[in-house]
Amino acid sequence: NLDNPLMEMDSLNFLIGEENKLDEIPLVKTASSMNDTRAKDPAYRDFKSNLEESLLEIQTDIEEAYGAISFHCREQFQDNDTVLTIGYSSTVLELFKDAKEKSDFTVVVAENSPENSGKTMQKRLSSLGIKTILLADTSIFSYMSKINKVIISTRAIMADGGLITDAGVELAVLAADYHTVPVIVVSALYKLTPLYPFDNTTYNKIVSPKTVLNSKECKFGEKVDVIVAKYDYIEPEYISLYITNVGCHTPHYIYREFAEYYSKEE
């Protein structure tokens, strides 16, 4: 097995920040463009061949992930369902696109302020002929009683069965837990990581307060710290089901998949 890119903190931040761009990375081309000055070295040739084979396998997994996830999600949609999602996700978008062919449902899209990526999601779903409602983040709790299920994507699946996702998603997950609404997470298995988070700050990124506060309107005294986290950590007990490109898993069963992706040394 290759070393997983999530093993280092910088690599983790890169991966969770590139959810919708991974399928555009020319992985095999990267390996082929390596310096060939040692091409006559048998050990180097074997290494390069194995690397290209592994990268091609990863690239194939990424390209086929959408279709496989949609296939395993077909039974999750019923006519007249009302489904909540938060912000924009290419994985969730493809899932709804496929499900539309078999079921008639409504998607409620939370804005996911301050980026407001939910507006992009709502427009794309509407263009596909899917009934959508754009919802302010502050209205999630009051609207949750009308929701049949919550479907979200993830930036990374952690070793404890929890996940790292965009900031603001935890609000919807906690509301779903209060109203006993199932939370379904859709993700390809290349997002698995053997790392264990300890809290919301372990694997996170702090961004500028300007994204949520207008300094001209807010007058603070001295020594005021405003911490704005980019991601949320969702604990496994709030997740009902993971649907991946290889099937459905409960959060406490997902750890078994690590045996397929990591050696004992890793």
Side-chain angles (χ1 to χ4, degrees), residues 4 65 69 157 187-193 244-247 249 254 257 260-262:
N4 190 279
I69 291 172
I157 302 174
S187 174
L189 282 182
Y190 64 75
K191 294 184 180 181
L192 281 173
T193 166
T244 71
N245 48 311
V246 299
H249 318 273
I254 197 77
E257 295 298 328
E260 301 293 330
Y261 276 74
Y262 297 94

Side-chain angles (χ1 to χ4, degrees), residues 105-109 121-123 125-126 130-134:
F105 55 90
T106 300
V107 179
V108 178
V109 185
M121 187 71 162
Q122 188 268 336
K123 290 179 181 178
L125 289 172
S126 295
I130 299 174
K131 292 180 290 187
T132 60
I133 298 172
L134 186 64

Side-chain angles (χ1 to χ4, degrees), residues 8 23 79 81 96-97 106 108 114 151 200 227 236 245 248 258:
E8 296 293 338
D23 53 356
D79 286 337
D81 268 354
F96 289 148
K97 181 179 178 180
T106 300
V108 178
I151 297 180
N200 260 320
I227 300 175
N245 48 311
C248 302
F258 286 97

Side-chain angles (χ1 to χ4, degrees), residues 37-54:
T37 57
R38 296 175 292 174
K40 295 181 180 181
D41 186 346
Y44 173 77
R45 289 200 303 269
D46 289 343
F47 167 77
K48 182 178 178 182
S49 175
N50 291 335
L51 178 61
E52 289 181 344
E53 182 180 349
S54 297

Side-chain angles (χ1 to χ4, degrees), residues 28-232:
V28 177
K29 182 179 179 181
T30 300
S32 300
S33 61
M34 295 173 64
N35 190 343
D36 288 333
T37 57
R38 296 175 292 174
K40 295 181 180 181
D41 186 346
Y44 173 77
R45 289 200 303 269
D46 289 343
F47 167 77
K48 182 178 178 182
S49 175
N50 291 335
L51 178 61
E52 289 181 344
E53 182 180 349
S54 297
L55 291 177
L56 182 60
E57 182 179 350
I58 295 173
Q59 186 170 357
T60 301
D61 286 345
I62 293 174
E63 292 172 348
E64 297 179 352
Y66 291 147
I69 291 172
S70 296
F71 174 80
H72 293 298
C73 279
R74 288 176 180 175
E75 296 182 358
Q76 302 298 326
F77 290 89
Q78 306 294 330
D79 286 337
N80 300 317
D81 268 354
T82 302
V83 183
L84 173 72
T85 191
I86 300 92
Y88 177 82
S89 165
S90 58
T91 305
V92 176
L93 178 64
E94 291 297 322
L95 170 64
F96 289 148
K97 181 179 178 180
D98 181 78
K100 174 184 176 294
E101 304 299 325
K102 304 168 184 64
S103 304
D104 182 26
F105 55 90
T106 300
V107 179
V108 178
V109 185
E111 288 180 329
N112 196 25
S113 178
E115 288 82 4
N116 293 323
S117 59
K119 294 182 179 180
T120 302
M121 187 71 162
Q122 188 268 336
K123 290 179 181 178
R124 296 198 179 184
L125 289 172
S126 295
S127 68
L128 295 172
I130 299 174
K131 292 180 290 187
T132 60
I133 298 172
L134 186 64
L135 188 70
D137 296 340
T138 53
S139 300
I140 289 177
F141 185 86
S142 60
Y143 206 90
M144 188 60 70
S145 59
K146 302 177 183 179
I147 301 297
N148 298 110
K149 58 180 66 71
V150 176
I151 297 180
I152 60 174
S153 63
T154 178
R155 300 289 183 170
I157 302 174
M158 312 308 287
D160 64 346
L163 61 90
I164 291 178
T165 187
D166 294 335
V169 175
E170 186 178 22
L171 170 66
V173 171
L174 293 176
D177 180 67
Y178 181 87
H179 289 277
T180 320
V181 175
V183 176
I184 300 173
V185 180
V186 292
S187 174
L189 282 182
Y190 64 75
K191 294 184 180 181
L192 281 173
T193 166
L195 300 175
Y196 286 88
F198 299 102
D199 51 42
N200 260 320
T201 62
T202 305
Y203 300 108
N204 213 323
K205 182 178 181 180
I206 304 303
V207 297
S208 171
K210 292 182 180 180
T211 58
V212 295
L213 290 176
N214 187 332
S215 59
K216 294 181 179 180
E217 297 178 356
C218 300
K219 297 181 180 180
F220 295 113
E222 296 180 357
K223 299 180 180 180
V224 175
D225 294 327
V226 180
I227 300 175
V228 181
K230 188 172 179 61
Y231 305 111
D232 277 343

